[in-house]
Amino acid sequence: MTTINLMKKTAGVILEKKNLTNVIARVGLVLDISGSMRKLYKNGTVQKVVERILAVASQFDDDGALDVWVYDNEFSRLKSVTESDFLNYVDEYIMNNDLIHKFGRNDEPPVMEDVIQKYTVEQPSQEPAFIVFINDGGCKRTIKKPVVASSTKPIFWQFVGIGDSNFEVLEKLDTMEGRFIDNANFFHIKDIEKTTDEDLYNQLLDEFPSWLKEAKAKGIL
């Protein structure tokens, strides 16, 4: 059995546990590619993250594809990744692509606006979009604007902090005011390589079920 199949199996178990087996959702992955992430791109950690999130997308997704963005102080919307082309995705489509700005400073709002644009303007749908947003610290306070603006839309932001930097802005997400509903969650993993798939998926899908319920009750979905 390939590793992706094992991950899919684990994801399936967690989905069942959280009563998400009948949910169809579009899944997006936003990857920090600021300077401090360089090592994690070079040593294969980010490739592994792509594969682990793809396993969730293939369980959830309308088409089994995972939409991918990378950002530092600029951002790129990449080719979606599927089970037929995930091998070496990071090297091939990110590291070896000179058009992608890499290893600069981080600036979250522009990429967040593009995510909102894709799922609400370019490809509007009744299906919710579940966005996994990987950041290794120092997230800008200005994320408040896109988070608040998307709180009436079928978009849920699941922020994941990796490493041991400062996540002050993300830690305050739960108390962020001005939103139609609470549409964002955050958890921190010091070493993502040492986190089991089961643990990762459990945390990833922790708040999504209650958001789905509230979004349906309030007419967003």
Side-chain angles (χ1 to χ4, degrees), residues 23-43:
V23 172
I24 295 175
R26 303 187 283 176
V27 183
L29 175 63
V30 181
L31 294 164
D32 186 337
I33 196 164
S34 60
S36 47
M37 288 285 292
R38 188 187 298 263
K39 187 172 146 229
L40 299 181
Y41 278 88
K42 294 255 163 76
N43 71 8

Side-chain angles (χ1 to χ4, degrees), residues 31-75:
L31 294 164
D32 186 337
I33 196 164
S34 60
S36 47
M37 288 285 292
R38 188 187 298 263
K39 187 172 146 229
L40 299 181
Y41 278 88
K42 294 255 163 76
N43 71 8
T45 299
V46 174
Q47 172 67 32
K48 182 89 191 286
V49 167
V50 169
E51 292 172 18
R52 292 168 91 172
I53 307 303
L54 175 62
V56 175
S58 66
Q59 298 286 16
F60 253 150
D61 211 67
D62 46 349
D63 57 2
L66 175 64
D67 301 324
V68 184
W69 284 260
V70 291
Y71 80 96
D72 53 5
N73 45 302
E74 295 181 19
F75 71 85

Side-chain angles (χ1 to χ4, degrees), residues 111-154:
V111 70
M112 294 176 74
E113 309 273 355
D114 194 61
V115 169
I116 297 168
Q117 165 84 11
K118 176 179 168 89
Y119 292 121
T120 65
V121 180
E122 294 169 27
Q123 298 168 11
S125 160
Q126 287 308 298
E127 315 298 356
F130 177 69
I131 311 301
V132 178
F133 198 111
I134 307 277
N135 168 266
D136 79 337
C139 193
K140 289 208 163 163
R141 285 176 202 289
T142 41
I143 67 163
K144 178 168 182 184
K145 196 174 162 221
V147 170
V148 170
S150 59
S151 68
T152 55
K153 311 270 192 269

Side-chain angles (χ1 to χ4, degrees), residues 155-203:
I155 295 176
F156 182 79
W157 304 92
Q158 178 57 67
F159 289 91
V160 184
I162 57 174
D164 44 18
S165 187
N166 164 10
F167 297 103
E168 192 193 351
V169 172
L170 294 172
E171 279 159 1
K172 292 183 177 153
L173 269 175
D174 274 345
T175 55
M176 187 184 281
E177 292 173 354
R179 290 180 292 170
F180 185 60
I181 65 173
D182 177 356
N183 59 340
N185 186 35
F186 167 70
F187 65 93
H188 174 217
I189 296 180
K190 203 161 175 146
D191 187 347
I192 199 158
E193 281 285 359
K194 289 192 178 136
T195 307
T196 65
D197 292 333
E198 190 177 3
D199 193 27
L200 179 68
Y201 296 151
N202 242 324
Q203 294 190 77

Side-chain angles (χ1 to χ4, degrees), residues 80-95:
S80 296
V81 57
T82 65
E83 278 182 67
S84 59
D85 62 6
F86 70 87
L87 289 167
N88 301 324
Y89 179 87
V90 168
D91 277 346
E92 215 165 296
Y93 295 103
I94 302 174
M95 298 302 279

